[in-house]
Amino acid sequence: MLRKKNVSIGRKTALLSSALMTSAMLAGAPSAFAQDTTVGEIIVTAQKRAEDLQDVPVSIQAIGGERLDALVISDFNDYVKFLPSVSFQSTAPGFTSVYMRGVASGGDGNHSGSLPSVGIYLDEQPITTITGALDVHVYDMERVEALAGPQGTLYGASSQAGTIRLITRKPEIGVFEGAVDAEVNSVTEGDVGYGLEGFVNIPVSDQAALRVVGWYQHDAGYIDNVFDTRSYPTWGGTIDNSGLAEDNYNDVTTQGARMALKIDLNDNWTVTPTLMGQREVSHGNFSYDPTQGDLAIARYRPESAKDTWYQAAMTVEGKLGSLDFVYAGSYMSRNVDSESDYSDYSFFYDTLFGYGAYWVDDLNNPVEPTQYIQARDRYTKESHEIRLSTPADLPLRAVGGWFMQNQTHDIQQRYLIDGIGTAIEVTGWPDTIWLTKQFRTDKDYALFGEVAWDFHPGWTLTGGVRYFLAENGLKGFFGYGAGYSTSTGEFRCDPTLPVYSTAPCTNLHKTTEETGFTHKVNLTWKFDEDRMFYGTWSTGYRPGGINRRGTLPPYGSDFLTNYELGWKTMWFDRSLRWNGAVYLERWDDFQFSILGANGLTEIKNAAQARIRGLETDVVWRPTEGLTLSGGAAWTEAELTANYCGFTTPTGTPVTQCATPQAPKGTELPVTPRFKGNLTVRYEFMLGDFDAHVQGAMVTQTDAWTDLRLVERAIIGKQDGWTAFDFTAGINNDVWSAEFFAQNLTDERADLYRYAQCAESVCGGAVYSVPNQPRTLGLRFGRKF
């Protein structure tokens, strides 16, 4: 195995910062650029209408379709590298929590936890589920937009800290075209991956077109499940994983399709129904145990996940008099079946507390105490939005509408120990020591509107408000069987409540409801055609909800207040684009999730935090064929009050205590202090072919995984890292071929660190989620 290389993050961070600044300063020298050095226009729909990126007074990082292809981007992990304001925590594909601008407390993503603080949209429809974003395969995409800061006026509850939008390419009427792209790659110290993608755009009539997209991708494994043994002191036996030991066992296979039909009913009305579906099957674990060696882990039970989803959506666009009308609706269904090893919990609880003595069969003989989890999650999400907007060229213009969404999550998690006696099982569930069988609902209703007024040449004042009603409900069963525990589970059931599904009984049946509003005020100064400056005061929110541990009070909404100054500028005959923003944010009563007793998630409101930062991106074309582009974010996020770890009986966070778990001034977790990227691309003619070479660098500094000081000492800090990508290829109007190298230096990034259960118990086994090792590959494509 390749060992981690020694990299000076501080030095490379300084080099990236210097490169971005030097790009801007060198562009200041007088020079006459040719026409083809102009930086291309990017059209975005961040404000619910099509506009030039440079005319939108919002901090947006946009990656266009051509750049998505150039950067060899195929999934979330690929494009998030090039979005400096975005950070994330992930344990496996499809299980990712996304954050923006440092608004992160860690610990989110549980099935009964807080809603996400970042909204993910596929075109006009939200696709964020309760445990994280869909892992949408990126192919035939128009662009990816990342809107930093509260977007609560136009986007709602799950856009407290920002919004990421995946915009697909739409059918083109009157055009027949298509493409097929194939790829093969090899992972250092790993296996071989491959993929096949394609699309076709078919004119159906003079007023309709169909676009069909399909993909099949096999990602190679690179984590080894190595042979090991584990001895339980109380049980007195030893187990091994000889039947499961395997090299490169964390492979992923993704297949899916998208169909969109565009129908121009007449000159004013267009209907676009879309159907998209994907199945992603993963095996193994995507973290490694450094004590077992580089990219190695020891697991004693099978681990896999099958994530299948589809979304049916429809957009209707038209004219009602002088008003633009849009309806956007969707229905999504997602089924996830997974199994995972939980032997660390078994081992450490047996070692520290003698839990092995409790697990016996019907004859009272001790059984092997190794636990494992079988989970079955069923999600649905329905959303509808109707909005009206006035013509964009009026000096006084407005957009407004109504929105609703209804999310459900049918939760089933079985914690199993093979062979335990029926007396200690959960009734009706063989070998199940703990069962979660619950049904969660999250509903949002909103009225929203924004008005923009060009009150003076070059000056625009915008104000917006969103009124919301949010509902959260959780019902069903969680806990142990009656023969094992007299304090939870079946012992706590209420016989007067209806039994949910196949649960043995009901011990949780609660709902909560709240109303409120968010606002946005923006002042924009268009200095000239190429330069704009703006200031924004905006708020975002995340609804509260019911705690899975029914004895705890509900957790309340948390609110984010944002003060922002930004700029959108073009320089030197539009060969240089430099955008950026500085901001100050206040996060009040933020929701904080922890693993409490028995590994049960508890959510409490946790005082206040302050976040200060700067984000910027630059694109420069100094000469024909050469493009330099980069982005960077600096974030300083810290507590402004103590986190004591408990609340009043009504849920108000307590900030005065003798020994706070995280004192005032503690840095918030997850987000690095600095994250940046730099790409250099040179295009030239090679005979009859267009050719290119490209290098890209991504870097970030270190970050904590947890907010609490004791847990930090156990889990440790995520190291900073720097990775390089390289591509070279040729193409003409029909054929294309490209060589690519991702993570060229085989840097071992530390993306996430965790323990399998509460750190105070399972902290003896800490795992690290790495990036994919060096991957070399070839891509071939044909257009028709």
Side-chain angles (χ1 to χ4, degrees), residues 325-360:
F325 170 89
V326 175
Y327 163 78
S330 67
Y331 178 83
M332 183 181 71
S333 175
R334 182 187 187 190
N335 297 335
V336 182
D337 295 285
S338 61
E339 55 182 350
S340 53
D341 177 285
Y342 206 48
S343 60
D344 284 2
Y345 179 96
S346 307
F347 172 75
F348 286 108
Y349 269 88
D350 183 61
T351 302
L352 298 174
F353 308 110
Y355 268 32
Y358 297 107
W359 315 125
V360 295

Side-chain angles (χ1 to χ4, degrees), residues 405-427:
Q405 72 174 359
N406 181 20
Q407 303 182 75
T408 69
H409 184 185
D410 181 357
I411 307 160
Q412 178 179 303
Q413 287 197 337
R414 299 176 65 186
Y415 293 72
L416 297 105
I417 299 177
D418 291 336
I420 59 172
T422 56
I424 56 176
E425 294 172 344
V426 174
T427 301

Side-chain angles (χ1 to χ4, degrees), residues 310-635:
Y310 75 86
Q311 183 192 63
M314 179 176 286
T315 303
V316 180
E317 301 168 280
K319 288 279 191 180
L320 292 176
S322 63
L323 299 178
D324 293 323
F325 170 89
V326 175
Y327 163 78
S330 67
Y331 178 83
M332 183 181 71
S333 175
R334 182 187 187 190
N335 297 335
V336 182
D337 295 285
S338 61
E339 55 182 350
S340 53
D341 177 285
Y342 206 48
S343 60
D344 284 2
Y345 179 96
S346 307
F347 172 75
F348 286 108
Y349 269 88
D350 183 61
T351 302
L352 298 174
F353 308 110
Y355 268 32
Y358 297 107
W359 315 125
V360 295
D361 61 18
D362 287 329
L363 299 177
N364 210 37
N365 297 313
V367 299
E368 178 195 329
T370 302
Q371 288 193 37
Y372 59 102
I373 304 170
Q374 291 180 347
R376 174 187 176 276
D377 295 279
R378 301 291 182 263
Y379 306 87
T380 66
K381 189 183 187 86
E382 179 183 359
S383 68
H384 302 276
E385 180 173 301
I386 295 174
R387 65 177 183 268
L388 294 169
S389 56
T390 60
D393 57 355
L394 293 179
L396 183 64
R397 52 199 176 275
V399 58
W402 168 84
F403 172 83
M404 71 81 64
Q405 72 174 359
N406 181 20
Q407 303 182 75
T408 69
H409 184 185
D410 181 357
I411 307 160
Q412 178 179 303
Q413 287 197 337
R414 299 176 65 186
Y415 293 72
L416 297 105
I417 299 177
D418 291 336
I420 59 172
T422 56
I424 56 176
E425 294 172 344
V426 174
T427 301
W429 294 80
D431 293 337
T432 303
I433 187 62
W434 175 286
L435 173 69
T436 299
K437 186 64 178 175
Q438 297 174 336
F439 189 75
R440 173 173 175 166
T441 58
D442 289 270
K443 298 180 180 180
D444 298 278
Y445 305 90
L447 294 172
F448 62 90
E450 278 193 2
V451 177
W453 175 32
D454 299 335
F455 64 92
H456 189 272
W459 290 86
T460 302
L461 179 65
T462 302
V465 66
R466 187 182 189 97
Y467 175 82
F468 66 85
L469 166 65
E471 300 175 359
N472 172 257
L474 191 61
K475 64 180 181 180
F477 174 85
F478 70 97
Y480 297 107
Y484 178 77
S485 172
T486 58
S487 61
T488 186
E490 293 184 52
F491 186 81
R492 290 286 184 180
C493 281
D494 185 344
T496 66
L497 294 175
V499 177
Y500 171 63
S501 186
T502 54
C505 52
T506 298
N507 57 14
L508 179 63
H509 194 293
K510 291 185 175 183
T511 60
T512 183
E513 179 182 300
E514 58 189 329
T515 61
F517 70 92
T518 60
H519 71 264
K520 172 184 175 181
V521 178
N522 173 273
L523 180 63
T524 300
W525 177 34
K526 189 77 171 178
F527 179 76
D528 57 29
E529 286 301 313
D530 292 333
R531 282 167 282 275
M532 178 183 75
F533 305 92
Y534 68 88
T536 299
W537 171 36
S538 59
T539 58
Y541 80 101
R542 178 170 51 166
I546 300 299
N547 258 297
R548 181 173 154 203
R549 190 185 297 278
T551 55
L552 295 177
Y555 54 95
S557 294
D558 55 8
F559 286 82
L560 185 71
T561 302
N562 173 64
Y563 307 94
E564 179 177 331
L565 296 174
W567 60 94
K568 301 285 184 76
T569 62
M570 302 288 284
W571 301 87
F572 309 105
D573 296 327
R574 302 181 72 85
S575 65
L576 171 71
R577 183 178 72 217
W578 179 35
N579 298 340
V582 294
Y583 60 87
L584 170 66
E585 296 182 335
R586 190 182 69 244
W587 195 14
D588 294 323
D589 297 334
F590 65 84
Q591 297 163 16
F592 184 54
S593 302
I594 64 168
L595 289 177
N598 305 120
L600 197 62
T601 299
E602 301 176 2
I603 307 108
K604 300 176 182 179
N605 293 91
Q608 292 80 38
R610 181 189 64 208
I611 304 154
R612 296 181 291 192
L614 178 149
E615 53 208 9
T616 185
D617 63 271
V618 176
V619 179
W620 182 33
R621 299 193 65 190
T623 187
E624 182 177 356
L626 178 63
T627 302
L628 292 84
S629 56
W634 172 82
T635 308

Side-chain angles (χ1 to χ4, degrees), residues 219-347:
D219 295 325
Y222 48 86
I223 300 292
D224 298 335
N225 191 23
V226 298
F227 174 80
D228 204 355
T229 61
R230 171 162 275 174
S231 298
Y232 292 93
T234 305
W235 173 53
T238 298
I239 63 170
D240 65 57
N241 64 347
S242 56
L244 297 173
E246 179 185 355
D247 289 344
N248 311 319
Y249 87 133
N250 65 320
D251 62 298
V252 184
T253 300
T254 304
Q255 52 189 319
R258 182 177 78 243
M259 294 182 291
L261 176 65
K262 181 179 180 181
I263 306 172
D264 284 345
L265 301 177
N266 54 40
D267 291 341
N268 292 327
W269 288 88
T270 300
V271 178
T272 310
T274 304
L275 180 63
M276 183 173 181
Q278 180 175 286
R279 171 175 291 185
E280 185 174 70
V281 179
S282 60
H283 301 102
N285 196 284
F286 290 79
S287 59
Y288 72 100
D289 179 356
T291 66
Q292 295 285 353
D294 187 33
L295 302 178
I297 197 171
R299 283 296 202 246
Y300 299 88
R301 289 292 185 268
E303 296 191 296
S304 66
K306 182 171 71 173
D307 186 351
T308 304
W309 60 268
Y310 75 86
Q311 183 192 63
M314 179 176 286
T315 303
V316 180
E317 301 168 280
K319 288 279 191 180
L320 292 176
S322 63
L323 299 178
D324 293 323
F325 170 89
V326 175
Y327 163 78
S330 67
Y331 178 83
M332 183 181 71
S333 175
R334 182 187 187 190
N335 297 335
V336 182
D337 295 285
S338 61
E339 55 182 350
S340 53
D341 177 285
Y342 206 48
S343 60
D344 284 2
Y345 179 96
S346 307
F347 172 75

